[in-house]
Amino acid sequence: MYYTESSFPRWKDNYAKQHYSARSFHDNCTHLEKRILPIFGDIKLKDKKSKCSVFCR
């Protein structure tokens, strides 16, 4: 099972650094750290619904 907050370091190190430009990498990590992870934390990705990202604040 994947969790948002606990899978972020693995995504960052194993995928994002190799596939994003320096600017995109920085911007995406900043958005995740400052906006997305504080709201969703360790929610299971399979439990997250697309409407939740808009209405669950």
Side-chain angles (χ1 to χ4, degrees), residues 23-44:
R23 173 73 187 251
S24 294
F25 175 76
H26 177 266
D27 290 347
N28 285 326
C29 290
T30 300
H31 287 299
L32 280 163
E33 291 170 349
K34 303 283 183 191
R35 299 177 182 201
I36 297 169
L37 292 177
I39 293 171
F40 292 106
D42 266 340
I43 190 172
K44 293 178 187 177

Side-chain angles (χ1 to χ4, degrees), residues 1-3 5-16:
M1 230 149 298
Y2 292 101
Y3 297 89
E5 193 167 18
S6 58
S7 63
F8 173 65
R10 187 174 52 194
W11 167 83
K12 190 167 123 176
D13 294 335
N14 296 334
Y15 181 81

